[in-house]
Amino acid sequence: MSRFPVPRLVVSRCLEFEEVRYNGAVIPDKAVQRLQGFVDFIPVCPEVEIGLGVPREVIRIVDGGEDDEKLIQPKTGEELTGPMKEFSKAFIGSLSDVDGFLLKNRSPTCGVQDVKVYQSEKNSQVVRKTTGFFAKEVLNQFGGLAIEEEGRMKNFTLRHHFLTKLFTLADFRRINKEKSLKSLQAFHSKNKYLFMAYHPGTLKLMGRTLANHDHLPIDAVLAHYEEHLYQLLSKPAKPSAHVNVCQHIAGYFKNELNKEEKRNFQSLVRQYSEEKVPLSAVISVLRSWVARFDSQYLQQQTYFEPYPEELVEISDSGKGRAYS
């Protein structure tokens, strides 16, 4: 089995860790449960950190006019905008060696999207949706990392993308510390088909950066490569891209397979394209060929296992915008 790095993941403390919700509850979360033992968690509750108690009166984001937003506790009338901004900037700025964030959805502090903005502290009319104060600072300082809300982790495509990105970036963090062109070349090589599934064009740019025809220092090469990596992993890979990669990999065995095997495989790929079978069915066949024909190069490809197989869960809520 492949050896994986241990990502460092900032997580909302109310998810499995402590009873810090406004109502004094803790939220059971399947994703956090499964990740235990595979990541280093950094739990945080911004609301508790700025001195709010448990339980506490609810807080809301209200319209401050001219696209300004304020964080208010309607029951007490206390404005928390300043303290929350100060804490968020200081806490997030103090983080090092972090690979991702898993945050509570729809929270006025941690929600990444779809957080309600109310007309005023007295008027409960919702005027628009926004990003929570803490999450906004996360995106500002660490927008290229693996960032997701717990609610969206129920969607298979989004969950697979988040885990792929999280473990890939954790591995790259190791490469960044080594500052070795040889290590970066090995990283690029083993991720070739994974990166091709995300964006072939960006993969080529990363290859040119790695070639380093301008003889830049290693720090500059790593910085440029990291920019491309963030761009590459900004959205989930599309099914059509997976088809392209699977066809590429199958091409390695064109001289070893008989006509029936080739025909059956093409039929399976077609079924995947028509959403009749999962991608795992196609990959399972490819993995069996990699083992059968002992392809050393393909055996190292992270495309077949981008994160620990213990985290693989095929259930899907069927909700969520996979390519937004």
Side-chain angles (χ1 to χ4, degrees):
M1 184 174 64
S2 301
R3 298 183 66 178
F4 292 92
V6 179
R8 299 191 76 223
L9 180 66
V10 177
V11 60
S12 292
R13 196 187 300 170
C14 61
L15 302 177
E16 284 289 334
F17 287 93
E18 290 185 49
E19 298 172 339
V20 292
R21 285 279 284 163
Y22 72 95
N23 58 359
V26 63
I27 301 172
D29 188 86
K30 198 170 184 179
V32 173
Q33 292 171 8
R34 295 179 77 93
L35 282 166
Q36 290 176 2
F38 295 95
V39 308
D40 285 338
F41 287 112
I42 305 173
V44 61
C45 176
E47 295 173 27
V48 170
E49 293 291 348
I50 64 169
L52 298 181
V54 181
R56 57 186 172 274
E57 298 295 338
V58 298
I59 60 176
R60 287 179 172 177
I61 297 179
V62 301
D63 187 7
E66 297 183 359
D67 294 326
D68 189 23
E69 295 170 353
K70 297 180 180 180
L71 191 62
I72 303 290
Q73 194 170 50
K75 186 80 172 181
T76 64
E78 184 177 3
E79 182 174 344
L80 304 166
T81 309
M84 183 57 67
K85 283 186 175 181
E86 290 174 12
F87 165 75
S88 299
K89 185 169 292 188
F91 176 84
I92 296 166
S94 71
L95 294 172
S96 62
D97 295 342
V98 63
D99 305 297
F101 295 78
L102 182 55
L103 304 173
K104 178 69 186 76
N105 69 334
R106 297 176 183 170
S107 160
T109 54
C110 290
V112 179
Q113 59 181 17
D114 291 334
V115 181
K116 294 177 180 178
V117 178
Y118 294 86
Q119 188 172 70
S120 70
E121 59 184 279
K122 302 295 184 182
N123 190 324
S124 60
Q125 180 180 347
V126 177
V127 294
R128 63 177 179 275
K129 298 292 182 69
T130 189
T131 300
F133 278 79
F134 181 79
K136 194 171 292 183
E137 191 60 36
V138 168
L139 294 171
N140 180 47
Q141 295 194 38
F142 289 112
L145 298 186
I147 302 170
E148 193 50 273
E149 298 179 314
E150 46 87 25
R152 284 162 46 100
M153 289 287 281
K154 295 179 177 66
N155 176 282
F156 174 81
T157 300
L158 298 176
R159 183 172 65 249
H160 177 71
H161 170 61
F162 173 77
L163 293 173
T164 297
K165 187 173 184 178
L166 181 68
F167 281 87
T168 302
L169 292 181
D171 197 23
F172 180 74
R173 177 163 54 85
R174 173 184 61 82
I175 302 297
N176 229 341
K177 285 185 175 182
E178 291 182 4
K179 297 189 182 302
S180 163
L181 188 60
K182 184 177 180 180
S183 295
L184 182 59
Q185 289 169 340
F187 174 84
H188 186 77
S189 176
K190 72 178 183 179
N191 284 295
K192 175 183 175 180
Y193 286 111
L194 177 65
F195 292 170
M196 183 184 291
Y198 272 89
H199 201 289
T202 305
L203 172 63
K204 290 180 180 179
L205 292 176
M206 295 165 82
R208 291 173 193 162
T209 299
L210 192 60
N212 195 21
H213 295 304
D214 294 330
H215 305 290
L216 299 174
I218 184 63
D219 284 342
V221 173
L222 285 165
H224 291 157
Y225 191 93
E226 185 174 30
E227 289 178 11
H228 292 315
L229 184 60
Y230 286 163
Q231 179 185 1
L232 180 95
L233 297 173
S234 61
K235 295 181 179 180
K238 296 182 178 180
S240 58
H242 281 298
V243 168
N244 179 52
V245 169
C246 289
Q247 297 284 23
H248 265 84
I249 295 174
Y252 275 84
F253 312 109
K254 61 183 178 181
N255 297 325
E256 285 83 7
L257 301 172
N258 60 45
K259 290 183 179 180
E260 184 176 358
E261 287 176 312
K262 293 177 181 178
R263 185 167 54 250
N264 289 340
F265 179 73
Q266 294 305 322
S267 175
L268 187 63
V269 170
R270 191 161 49 250
Q271 290 179 65
Y272 165 67
S273 299
E274 296 170 354
E275 299 184 356
K276 295 178 179 178
V277 299
L279 178 62
S280 58
V282 182
I283 290 180
S284 179
V285 172
L286 291 174
R287 292 185 74 169
S288 71
W289 291 346
V290 170
R292 174 178 158 193
F293 300 114
D294 193 27
S295 173
Q296 298 295 314
Y297 175 67
L298 291 178
Q299 283 175 7
Q300 69 162 344
Q301 288 298 308
T302 58
Y303 181 71
F304 295 112
E305 192 180 1
Y307 51 85
E309 62 181 7
E310 292 91 341
L311 298 178
V312 175
E313 183 186 3
I314 62 173
S315 63
D316 187 348
S317 67
K319 300 177 181 179
R321 293 170 295 172
Y323 304 107
S324 62

